[in-house]
Each structure stands twice: as C-alpha cells, then as structure tokens.
Amino acid sequence: DIQMTQSPSSLSASVGDRVTIPCRASQNISNYLNWYQQKPGKAPKLLIYAASSLQSGVPSRFSGSGSGTDFTLTISSLQPEDFATYYCQQSYITPYTFGQGTKLEIK
Amino acid sequence: QLQLQESGPGLVKPSETLSLTCTVSGGSISSSSYYWGWIRQPPGKGLEWIGSIYYSGSTYYNPSLKSRVTISVDTSKNQFSLKLSSVTAADTAVYYCARLYYDILTAYDYWGQGTLVTVSS
C-alpha cells in the first residue's frame, strides 16, 4: 500500500495568515493527489483534485501544488471557517489511502 | 443536485455482519464516469478506504478488509450496499458512502452525511 504522511498533525494559525500543509507519499503517485476538508460531525469535502485543480465552488484562497511524492495545500489568507482538519488522499492505485490529517487550529 | 444517503443499523453485535445501503438521488448510479465507494472513520481517527464498485458490478476492495467485505450494486433502485462480516469493536466507525468521479477528477466529489455504526453486545 502507498503510505501518505501528513506532518504536523496539528497547526496553529491566525485569521489572515498564509498556511501551508504538507503531504508526502511513500512512492511516486504522479499528480493523483486530492485534498479534503473535514469539520467536526461532517463528511469530508473535496477541495483540490489532481494535486492542483480547484474543485468547483471552492474559494480561490485554496491552492495545491506538487507532483511525484511531495505535495502542499496552501491557504493564502485564513478565514474563520477554514479551521478544520485537512486530509490528503492518493488515487493513483487501490487501496486508495489517506494521510492521517492535519488539524488547523486557531492561535 | 446529487445526494447520497446511508442507511442501516446503528448497532451491530460482535461476530455478526454489518449491512449498510447508500441511496443515490439526483443522478444515475449507472453513469459510466463514476465509481461508488465506502470510506469509514473510527471515532477521533482518520479516514480508511473500504472499497468501490462500478455500476456493472466490478469491485475493488482494501486488502486489509477483503476477506470480510462485499460491496454490491442495485441499479434498479439506484443503490449500492456494503456488507462487513465478523465485526469486532475495531469496526466501530462512521461509515460514509461517496462518488468517485473516475474519468475527470479521480476523487470523491460527493459524500453522504455518514452513519455511525457501533459494534457492541
């Protein structure tokens, strides 16, 4: 299985900050990398697919980059509604695997 | 607007079989562009992919669960289902059904709200 590593598991930031959340794959997954946002008690929401494509309806302050094994989710200017847990997921090969998540907390 | 809704028992006894159904509305489960999947999340933990099915019945399973999992589809009802046998407390989780937009996104773009299944006697 491909292992997806997200570190740190939590991150503190303030409204208006620029934040980057990293994700690393245990092997080359090309650009088959997706990012999801999850709020407590809710289903995950797709933000970014194919490493850098913004899902319809997602604010443009979210962006993704990377290819191969190293990827980054960037939020350009944090808004109050962005405090949540973020998961990366590889869709290169089954079993599709998720990172353990990075919880974005208010500083 | 596409909607997915999980249904099934919220409590299952150890060693028994967990059965859930996902009903798809607002779109056809028989579209060639999509796979339909199950993902679970133990309380306070991360997401685990269980498996996916195509409308034709072709399936992919997580090897860690493969011996206990069956995913099936009923196109006449626009539903797909999950069966997980010989459950233990480790199978306690919120179970989500979701749509994989295979040929464009290769990502899960629509999710059900999730249903908590507790394994306990």
Side-chain angles (χ1 to χ4, degrees):
Chain A
D1 298 2
I2 297 175
Q3 305 303 313
M4 306 302 295
T5 301
Q6 290 184 248
S7 181
S9 59
S10 65
L11 195 55
S12 295
S14 301
V15 173
D17 283 354
R18 179 183 179 88
V19 171
T20 59
I21 298 174
C23 173
R24 174 166 287 177
S26 61
Q27 66 185 73
N28 187 343
I29 58 170
S30 184
N31 69 333
Y32 288 86
L33 190 284
N34 308 309
W35 289 98
Y36 300 87
Q37 176 194 66
Q38 187 179 34
K39 295 182 179 180
K42 300 294 187 182
K45 173 187 175 183
L46 178 65
L47 299 177
I48 301 286
Y49 64 93
S52 60
S53 295
L54 190 68
Q55 171 66 343
S56 176
V58 174
S60 59
R61 63 181 180 274
F62 290 93
S63 63
S65 62
S67 67
T69 60
D70 291 297
F71 303 87
T72 301
L73 174 69
T74 299
I75 309 172
S76 61
S77 179
L78 269 176
Q79 299 303 299
E81 61 268 29
D82 299 337
F83 291 96
T85 300
Y86 293 85
Y87 292 94
C88 61
Q89 177 233 344
Q90 65 82 15
S91 55
Y92 180 73
I93 193 170
T94 60
Y96 297 146
T97 44
F98 293 84
Q100 74 271 34
T102 295
K103 186 175 183 179
L104 189 50
E105 298 174 313
I106 300 173
K107 185 182 286 185
Chain B
Q1 176 76 348
L2 190 78
Q3 292 188 339
L4 292 82
Q5 179 68 58
E6 305 91 350
S7 59
L11 181 64
V12 181
K13 290 182 168 53
S15 79
E16 296 190 343
T17 296
L18 178 160
S19 296
L20 295 174
T21 295
C22 182
T23 300
V24 179
S25 58
S28 173
I29 204 170
S30 300
S31 171
S32 61
S33 299
Y34 311 119
Y35 275 76
W36 304 90
W38 290 96
I39 296 109
R40 70 179 182 178
Q41 184 171 38
K45 296 189 178 180
L47 299 160
E48 180 181 30
W49 180 78
I50 299 171
S52 290
I53 191 164
Y54 195 55
Y55 75 94
S56 64
S58 173
T59 53
Y60 295 88
Y61 296 137
N62 192 324
S64 69
L65 298 169
K66 188 173 183 177
S67 63
R68 299 193 292 130
V69 171
T70 303
I71 298 176
S72 58
V73 63
D74 186 336
T75 55
S76 67
K77 294 182 179 178
N78 231 30
Q79 295 176 334
F80 62 105
S81 298
L82 168 70
K83 291 188 185 299
L84 181 66
S85 64
S86 305
V87 297
T88 69
D91 296 308
T92 294
V94 175
Y95 286 76
Y96 295 101
C97 60
R99 184 183 85 170
L100 180 74
Y101 193 170
Y102 180 73
D103 61 359
I104 302 293
L105 310 182
T106 318
Y108 287 100
D109 60 345
Y110 282 92
W111 295 65
Q113 65 186 23
T115 188
L116 174 63
V117 179
T118 301
V119 178
S120 175
S121 55

